[in-house]
Amino acid sequence: VQLQASGGGLVQAGGSLRLSCLASGRTSTSNAMAWFRQAPGKEREFVGTISLSSGSTYVSDSVKGRFTISRDDAKNMMYLQMNSLKAEDTAVYYCAADSPRTVFRATVVEIARYDTWGQGTLVTVSS
């Protein structure tokens, strides 16, 4: 599986952006995909995840009520709709996918669960 994230940019606080993640290759072997983010000088943190079997989603408390994860199986796309953006949402956002090798390694909110990562897309929120 290869992942390509896009859609980042500069937005004012309170605005919206939609990130996209295009998956190519043997996507059928993945159980879950996720979004993580890494702000300057900070560790990479979990944002949200979506089950590729059930479509169920889960997002972190820091973005709950503002961010939504969805997918379009026909296009092999995963999306992160970000509303009511805050300055603290500024970060490089990464999409990730797990594999049969990693599905029992960690939970869906942990970095170790995912062994395929996109290149990241920068989101900058101005206050």
Side-chain angles (χ1 to χ4, degrees):
V1 177
Q2 292 181 328
L3 303 176
Q4 183 174 357
S6 62
L10 174 63
V11 62
Q12 289 187 334
S16 298
L17 275 178
R18 188 178 79 158
L19 305 185
S20 300
C21 179
L22 174 63
S24 59
R26 297 187 61 185
T27 58
S28 61
T29 61
S30 295
N31 180 70
M33 294 182 67
W35 289 97
F36 286 77
R37 66 185 181 185
Q38 188 165 18
K42 295 187 177 181
E43 295 185 351
R44 192 170 298 189
E45 67 171 356
F46 170 80
V47 175
T49 185
I50 185 166
S51 168
L52 299 186
S53 57
S54 68
S56 61
T57 62
Y58 174 77
V59 297
S60 67
D61 288 343
S62 62
V63 306
K64 192 170 294 182
R66 300 188 298 123
F67 290 12
T68 303
I69 295 178
S70 63
R71 65 181 185 177
D72 185 332
D73 292 340
K75 297 180 180 179
N76 281 343
M77 295 287 284
M78 176 179 67
Y79 303 101
L80 181 66
Q81 178 66 45
M82 305 185 294
N83 300 327
S84 302
L85 283 161
K86 306 175 182 179
E88 51 264 42
D89 295 318
T90 294
V92 176
Y93 284 71
Y94 298 90
C95 57
D98 69 4
S99 73
R101 295 190 304 271
T102 63
V103 68
F104 298 111
R105 179 187 299 175
T107 68
V108 292
V109 304
E110 297 175 289
I111 292 174
R113 174 63 176 260
Y114 303 96
D115 57 354
T116 300
W117 293 83
Q119 83 286 6
T121 184
L122 176 62
V123 173
T124 303
V125 184
S126 62
S127 57

